[in-house]
Amino acid sequence: MNILIVESKNDKIFVQALIEVLNIKNTNVEKILIDADNFLFLNSIDPNPKKPTNLIRKLKDVKTDIPKKGIKKIGILLDIDKSRIDDRLVLVNTAIEQAFGKETFNKIEDINQTVSVQLDDEIIEILCYFTNVDENGDLETVLRKIALKDGNYANCLSSWRECLQEKKIEISDKDFDKFWIDNYIRFDTCSKKERKQAERKCSMKAFDYVMQTKKDIFDFSHEVLDGLKEFLLQFKVPINKNK
Amino acid sequence: MIKKLRIKNYKGFEDLKINELSNINLIGGENNIGKTSFLEAIFTFYDRINPQVILKPLSWRGIPISLKNNTLHEIWSPVFKNYNIEKPIEFQFDYIDSVKHNVTISIERDAISAIDPKKISKFDNRNFQQENISEYSLHVKSVIDKEIKQDTFLYFVNNNISMKINILQNKIKPAIFVSPSIRSAAQDALRFSEIYRDGLEEEVLKALKIIDNRIKSITPLAISEQESIVHVDIGIGKKIPIYYMGDGIVRLLEYVLAILSTKNGVVLIDEIENGLHTSKQKDIWKLLFTLADKYNVQVFATTHSKEMSKAFVEFALENNFAAKSNYIELFRNYKSKKVSANFIDIETLQYKILNSKNFRGD
């Protein structure tokens, strides 16, 4: 059984869509398998990488399920935001150490590197990846990068941002990316019919609907997804062997 | 205090390891996973010099011990894993002061040959015929830090149990087992009398007031030449047997008597939530934590109750007892199907309860 710890529900939805794309492309021998129930939500990352309380709690919780459910691999998928990869690795390694014990594993040195953790008679593999565009940003930053359709409504937000800057009002890159995607989904890729139910079909609140019915508004072959794909491909299992 | 333990070949436990124990240990798990057996195993460890060792916990379960229909060694075989007497029971208990204590219990054949009358224990002062000695005997061996402290054999002579002693350590920490299915008014009265003699009856009174603050005093009163029963004064003009009151107050009495009677020892409480209203559970944990801490008693308690677990966590976290409390989840390993144990610290248990996660072996 594979477990993936993500920050939010939208991260799960995007990853599931990407897995679906990858599994279609892959051979019939293996497929990436992370059951819907095996996504765990972190909700927020602790600001201090040396005290990642949320992730520690999550890993300690998962640890008790390992011998009950046969968990073999744990993935940790976090946004890099404005951190550096090294700081995120400190956070992940600290959390693993606190949850599993110092003696049980070798530190993760890089993203997509798998380390083994000994837990009594079980050996678990853990790996991590940090969602980013050029080592910055989060899911919305990636979505903006891979947007495939014309984003006229969304692109005009740049003028709005400039207007604010003239008035000495700053919008963070994170918030701007969120606005951009909101507008891309709400206006640039929302059909006439869907606009009658915009909140349910054309918003990030309805991201699951978007990913199920409108995957083509994003370019899943974009190179910015290569690192994330490499991460997810490590959760392949032979077909007809579920766990 | 036991810090770490391992139980092998005892009832449903092929090889159960628990590497983190604390002052107060709450044990959860599904039905029939072995929560009560776990407590019985610890009790057996501490009861090992008793000729009734093993037989006592069996009798608590309502099993009549009869020598008529069983081959003699079958009396003991139910506690061996799969009734397989070829594999000895092993207990390995590591204490907080680094003392390592191993006890093995095995059934041996022809271990008792010529009986030297000088080695007959005080438990058996009758004359006997050697040809009536049982073929099988229960061998109990206890080793502390590589030194043998007990090496005894229990056997039957004319259907009565006897003990052959090679080595016997006399000082063992006390252990008391409390269960909703075992009730002994006489034993409660005896324990309370000793506590009363030691001037600690106020501790008992204070405890009972958690449930019923009408109680003004507690006294053991004779009901016959041989027997006494604990009575309480609730202000109705006469003292009444506490057993005429609710089940919860009787259970609470049993818990307090057990702790006050086992200073520096171990108390084992089965189904701790039985009879206790949710509104009183946190106060009862406060009582147990406080008394156990004051009298240096290690407590192991089993529960099915989410509310009792929640009260346990809340009290421990609010009152800086987190470091002195643990939760142990018994479950079946997904692969081997062996009964195994998860140690869950208090913060993680709180997280699981708040997020509706499984923690009772499910």
Side-chain angles (χ1 to χ4, degrees):
Chain A
M1 180 186 286
N2 296 325
I3 295 285
L4 186 58
I5 297 173
V6 296
E7 286 193 42
S8 71
K9 190 180 166 199
N10 281 347
D11 293 304
K12 171 186 175 181
I13 292 167
F14 180 70
V15 164
Q16 283 182 309
L18 186 53
I19 288 174
E20 200 182 308
V21 166
L22 289 172
N23 279 342
I24 289 169
K25 283 187 179 167
N26 275 337
T27 67
N28 292 330
V29 177
E30 288 180 314
K31 65 173 185 174
I32 302 169
L33 182 62
I34 304 173
D35 289 339
D37 291 338
N38 293 336
F39 282 80
L40 306 179
F41 303 117
L42 205 53
N43 297 321
S44 68
I45 302 177
D46 298 280
N48 182 352
K50 291 181 184 164
K51 264 192 159 182
T53 314
N54 272 348
L55 186 55
I56 293 171
R57 278 196 199 122
K58 194 64 70 178
L59 286 174
K60 280 186 172 181
D61 180 34
V62 170
K63 183 182 166 188
T64 63
D65 284 340
I66 291 169
K68 289 197 284 186
K69 296 182 181 176
I71 295 170
K72 292 295 181 195
K73 197 171 267 188
I74 301 171
I76 300 170
L77 180 64
L78 308 176
D79 295 331
I80 200 161
D81 292 325
K82 284 194 162 316
S83 290
R84 301 176 315 134
I85 288 182
D86 286 347
D87 287 339
R88 281 287 187 253
L89 286 173
V90 166
L91 185 150
V92 169
N93 281 318
T94 302
I96 298 173
E97 185 181 308
Q98 290 287 317
F100 291 92
K102 206 173 190 175
E103 310 81 27
T104 58
F105 78 110
N106 293 319
K107 283 192 176 169
I108 299 178
E109 306 281 352
D110 201 359
I111 53 173
N112 288 336
Q113 176 205 356
T114 301
V115 297
S116 297
V117 176
Q118 182 82 41
L119 184 70
D120 294 329
D121 300 331
E122 302 280 341
I123 293 177
I124 318 304
E125 291 182 327
I126 304 184
L127 64 157
C128 64
Y129 183 76
F130 310 127
T131 307
N132 74 97
V133 175
D134 298 328
E135 296 188 10
N136 216 328
D138 53 17
L139 173 65
E140 281 79 2
T141 315
V142 169
L143 291 174
R144 188 180 165 198
K145 191 77 179 173
I146 66 172
L148 204 48
K149 304 292 184 191
D150 290 331
N152 294 323
Y153 285 88
N155 285 332
C156 285
L157 281 173
S158 301
S159 303
W160 165 75
R161 195 178 195 184
E162 280 166 17
C163 176
L164 288 171
Q165 280 166 347
E166 280 166 21
K167 296 178 192 316
K168 310 262 191 265
I169 299 169
E170 288 297 328
I171 294 286
S172 68
D173 290 341
K174 187 180 173 85
D175 283 337
F176 185 78
D177 288 340
K178 281 189 180 349
F179 280 134
W180 197 97
I181 282 294
D182 277 340
N183 276 271
Y184 179 70
I185 291 175
R186 173 66 182 86
F187 296 107
D188 290 305
T189 56
C190 193
S191 67
K192 262 190 194 167
K193 194 176 171 187
E194 285 171 337
R195 278 177 201 167
K196 293 175 190 171
Q197 298 177 79
E199 178 121 5
R200 281 183 49 222
K201 295 188 176 180
C202 299
S203 73
M204 278 301 277
K205 286 183 188 172
F207 193 50
D208 49 344
Y209 172 84
V210 171
M211 283 289 109
Q212 278 164 27
T213 59
K214 294 191 281 189
K215 274 199 197 63
D216 59 344
I217 68 172
F218 295 108
D219 179 6
F220 283 90
S221 62
H222 198 293
E223 63 181 6
V224 85
L225 295 175
D226 287 351
L228 181 55
K229 285 177 184 173
E230 188 189 329
F231 172 75
L232 292 173
L233 283 168
Q234 296 193 63
F235 293 91
K236 278 192 298 189
V237 298
I239 290 176
N240 294 328
K241 206 174 172 183
N242 284 334
K243 303 277 185 278
Chain B
M1 184 180 84
I2 309 165
K3 197 65 193 154
K4 205 166 135 171
L5 64 76
R6 188 172 184 179
I7 299 170
K8 291 172 83 169
N9 301 319
Y10 181 88
K11 297 185 88 183
F13 306 128
E14 185 174 322
D15 188 358
L16 179 72
K17 289 180 254 193
I18 302 178
N19 294 328
E20 291 274 353
L21 290 169
S22 193
N23 304 65
I24 311 283
N25 304 278
L26 186 61
I27 296 109
E30 290 187 322
N31 283 115
N32 213 37
I33 197 71
K35 297 185 294 298
T36 304
S37 295
F38 175 73
L39 298 185
E40 287 170 349
I42 298 174
F43 181 81
T44 299
F45 176 89
Y46 284 101
D47 197 40
R48 60 189 179 271
I49 65 168
N50 186 346
Q52 296 293 319
V53 70
I54 289 178
L55 301 182
K56 218 195 246 182
L58 287 175
S59 70
W60 291 337
R61 288 177 179 258
I63 299 168
I65 309 294
S66 165
L67 295 176
K68 286 183 188 168
N69 300 322
N70 295 312
T71 311
L72 289 176
H73 68 277
E74 289 175 354
I75 295 293
W76 295 304
S77 58
V79 298
F80 288 77
K81 176 106 175 67
N82 296 334
Y83 282 59
N84 181 2
I85 62 172
E86 303 292 321
K87 286 192 173 176
I89 293 167
E90 291 179 43
F91 300 121
Q92 296 170 23
F93 285 20
D94 291 2
Y95 286 81
I96 198 166
D97 52 2
S98 304
V99 167
K100 291 185 187 304
H101 195 158
N102 290 1
V103 169
T104 52
I105 300 177
S106 54
I107 291 181
E108 296 183 18
R109 200 171 172 177
D110 298 327
I112 308 293
S113 47
I115 298 293
D116 179 348
K118 289 177 199 163
K119 288 197 172 175
I120 295 166
S121 76
K122 62 177 180 177
F123 303 111
D124 180 7
N125 57 7
R126 295 162 289 110
N127 291 323
F128 56 88
Q129 300 292 324
Q130 188 156 327
E131 56 267 26
N132 291 328
I133 294 169
S134 56
E135 185 184 355
Y136 292 91
S137 58
L138 189 78
H139 184 196
V140 181
K141 191 170 173 184
S142 156
V143 177
I144 298 179
D145 287 342
K146 298 182 185 175
E147 192 182 334
I148 301 175
K149 294 291 189 182
Q150 178 179 345
D151 186 15
T152 55
F153 291 83
L154 291 171
Y155 58 97
F156 288 90
V157 179
N158 297 334
N159 293 343
N160 290 303
I161 199 157
S162 298
M163 184 189 277
K164 177 186 173 191
I165 300 170
N166 291 336
I167 300 168
L168 185 60
Q169 173 196 35
N170 290 325
K171 274 191 178 173
I172 292 187
K173 285 187 188 204
I176 290 180
F177 189 104
V178 181
S179 165
S181 53
I182 309 165
R183 186 142 290 167
S184 170
Q187 185 160 80
D188 290 343
L190 183 60
R191 283 183 187 151
F192 182 71
S193 297
E194 289 170 354
I195 287 163
Y196 194 86
R197 177 201 64 204
D198 294 342
L200 295 175
E201 70 276 15
E202 279 301 310
E203 297 271 35
V204 184
L205 181 61
K206 199 169 140 190
L208 298 186
K209 279 179 179 292
I210 292 172
I211 293 188
D212 195 332
N213 61 11
R214 293 178 301 163
I215 298 176
K216 295 178 186 177
S217 66
I218 317 167
T219 10
L221 293 177
I223 55 164
S224 71
E225 275 185 24
Q226 312 287 335
E227 267 186 270
S228 294
I229 288 198
V230 174
H231 282 62
V232 290
D233 178 2
I234 58 168
I236 59 169
K238 65 187 290 178
K239 293 179 176 56
I240 62 169
I242 196 170
Y243 306 94
Y244 289 174
M245 299 184 79
D247 191 51
I249 205 159
V250 174
R251 289 229 77 203
L252 187 56
L253 173 73
E254 289 170 345
Y255 300 163
V256 178
L257 293 182
I259 292 178
L260 295 177
S261 303
T262 52
K263 298 187 191 80
N264 304 310
V266 172
V267 165
L268 308 152
I269 303 174
D270 202 17
E271 294 185 21
I272 191 168
E273 71 275 11
N274 234 281
L276 301 176
H277 193 269
T278 46
S279 64
K280 302 292 181 188
Q281 286 173 352
K282 214 160 150 185
D283 286 331
I284 285 164
W285 279 122
K286 179 181 176 183
L287 170 77
L288 296 177
F289 271 87
T290 309
L291 288 180
D293 196 40
K294 189 173 176 182
Y295 296 102
N296 193 32
V297 174
Q298 189 171 22
V299 175
F300 295 84
T302 67
T303 187
H304 285 119
S305 165
K306 187 174 174 181
E307 289 76 21
M308 199 69 183
S309 304
K310 189 164 174 256
F312 174 72
V313 160
E314 284 175 0
F315 176 77
L317 288 173
E318 288 165 13
N319 296 278
N320 294 318
F321 273 105
K324 292 192 171 190
S325 43
N326 266 358
Y327 183 85
I328 309 289
E329 178 190 25
L330 295 181
F331 64 94
R332 279 198 191 276
N333 182 282
Y334 78 100
K335 194 163 54 178
S336 66
K337 307 299 175 200
K338 285 190 218 176
V339 177
S340 306
N342 265 332
F343 152 71
I344 302 178
D345 63 54
I346 294 304
E347 287 85 2
T348 304
L349 183 59
Q350 183 191 40
Y351 174 85
K352 283 180 177 286
I353 292 172
L354 291 174
N355 291 280
S356 303
K357 301 281 188 158
N358 299 330
F359 62 93
R360 291 177 288 177
D362 38 5

